[in-house]
């Protein structure tokens, strides 16, 4: 997804390192009212750092927890696809393929990516695509000492709700499909869809929540959260 207008956020959300109870009652409101995420879900371990980006076609928020684990939630407009498809499953498969070709394959440090597992989950509420992609990373390509070369396994959980496609991601160092699936389904269970469009009152509530969860408070106001580009 090409970012037309972005506003990055890197705020420390602190909770108890061993329990998630202290995060209960705190929620993340995504841009454009796409979803609300319960930060108290057991998916996150300890503190959570997030980075938020968005434009008029969708948005993405990346979460890192206290154990250094990566999670990401994207939302994309259905009409962002140039061709019509016959079913939601075909649309989800197209979305995954386009995401891999546009986002992952073109990342500077990615030397290779290959699908190792794929499964369609069909429940009463919605059809869901679950996949795991093997990624080979070469940190030398980006000359970043903090990045590590090696193999990673990125899990994807895609589903369509309303006029949006949601793409949930999680990274693990070893291939464990059932554990990956359970983790992503747990993250999805912590989401309320649709969310609420953030007005000034909602933004202030979220700022207060971020300040409360910060380890040492914040100096002045937190960085303003991302807002979609205006049409």
């Amino acid at each position: 997804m090409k970012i037309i207008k972005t506003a990055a956020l890197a705020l420390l959300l602190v909770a108890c390192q061993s329990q998630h109870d202290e995060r209960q009652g705190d929620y993340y409101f995504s841009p454009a009212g796409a979803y609300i995420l319960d930060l108290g879900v057991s998916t996150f371990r300890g503190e959570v750092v997030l980075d938020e980006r968005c434009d008029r076609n969708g948005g993405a928020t990346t979460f890192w927890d206290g154990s250094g684990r990566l999670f990401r939630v994207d939302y994309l407009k259905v009409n962002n696809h140039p061709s019509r498809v016959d079913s939601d499953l075909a649309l989800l498969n197209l979305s995954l393929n386009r995401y891999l070709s546009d986002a992952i394959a073109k990342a500077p440090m990615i030397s290779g990516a290959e699908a190792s597992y794929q499964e369609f989950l069909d429940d009463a509420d919605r059809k869901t695509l679950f996949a795991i992609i093997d990624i080979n990373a070469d940190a030398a390509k980006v000359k970043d000492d903090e990045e590590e070369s090696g193999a990673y396994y990125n899990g994807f959980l895609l589903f369509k709700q309303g006029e949006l496609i949601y793409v949930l991601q999680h990274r693990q160092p070893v291939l464990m499909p059932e554990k990956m699936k359970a983790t992503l389904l747990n993250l999805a269970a912590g989401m309320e869809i649709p969310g609420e469009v953030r007005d000034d009152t909602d933004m202030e509530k979220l700022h207060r929540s971020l300040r409360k969860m910060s380890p040492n408070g914040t100096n002045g106001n937190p960085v303003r959260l991302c807002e979609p580009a205006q049409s």
Side-chain angles (χ1 to χ4, degrees):
M1 180 175 65
K2 182 179 180 181
I3 298 298
I4 299 174
K5 177 182 178 183
T6 66
L9 172 69
L11 292 175
L12 189 64
L13 310 182
V14 168
C16 175
Q17 290 290 336
S18 60
Q19 299 181 10
H20 65 87
D21 292 346
E22 292 185 14
R23 281 195 306 266
Q24 291 183 349
D26 289 303
Y27 297 89
Y28 168 70
F29 293 80
S30 80
Y35 64 92
I36 299 172
L37 177 62
D38 181 1
L39 294 173
V41 294
S42 58
T43 303
F44 298 130
R45 299 173 182 170
E47 64 185 26
V48 179
V49 176
L50 66 86
D51 179 82
E52 181 182 86
R53 302 170 184 267
C54 64
D55 63 22
R56 59 172 57 87
N57 296 314
T61 302
T62 304
F63 304 84
W64 294 269
D65 72 5
S67 297
R69 301 184 307 155
L70 180 147
F71 302 85
R72 174 166 164 161
V73 179
D74 290 48
Y75 59 92
L76 312 168
K77 288 186 177 179
V78 172
N79 60 14
N80 200 32
H81 292 270
S83 60
R84 297 181 62 85
V85 293
D86 296 329
S87 69
D88 285 351
L89 291 182
L91 179 62
L92 296 177
N93 196 61
L94 174 64
S95 301
L96 177 61
N97 290 336
R98 289 188 61 192
Y99 189 92
L100 296 179
S101 62
D102 292 344
I104 291 185
K106 295 180 181 178
M109 69 179 293
I110 302 301
S111 59
E114 180 180 359
S116 62
Y117 187 90
Q118 185 166 315
E119 177 184 358
F120 286 113
L121 311 177
D122 191 3
D123 59 28
D125 297 326
R126 60 194 175 210
K127 298 182 185 301
T128 303
L129 171 61
F130 169 64
I132 297 178
I133 308 300
D134 299 5
I135 296 176
N136 291 315
D138 184 357
K141 290 185 176 183
V142 294
K143 298 180 179 179
D144 188 343
D145 294 336
E146 294 184 1
E147 297 287 350
E148 294 185 6
S149 299
Y152 298 92
Y153 299 91
N154 274 31
F156 290 81
L157 193 71
L158 297 90
F159 56 87
K160 174 179 173 291
Q161 191 153 333
E163 296 303 313
L164 294 176
I165 297 171
Y166 294 83
V167 184
L168 281 59
Q169 290 184 60
H170 175 47
R171 177 178 295 171
Q172 292 180 347
V174 294
L175 180 60
M176 296 184 292
E178 292 304 315
K179 181 178 180 181
M180 181 78 79
K181 185 197 309 182
T183 299
L184 288 170
L185 287 173
N186 189 49
L187 182 63
M191 298 171 62
E192 178 182 335
I193 301 173
E196 299 175 1
V197 176
R198 302 191 301 209
D199 58 21
D200 290 341
T201 301
D202 295 326
M203 296 294 286
E204 179 55 32
K205 289 180 181 178
L206 190 49
H207 285 166
R208 287 200 302 267
S209 177
L210 295 175
R211 285 195 293 265
K212 181 186 71 174
M213 298 170 73
S214 174
N216 300 310
T218 57
N219 296 323
N221 292 324
V223 177
R224 182 169 175 81
L225 298 173
C226 167
E227 292 294 348
Q230 298 300 314
S231 302

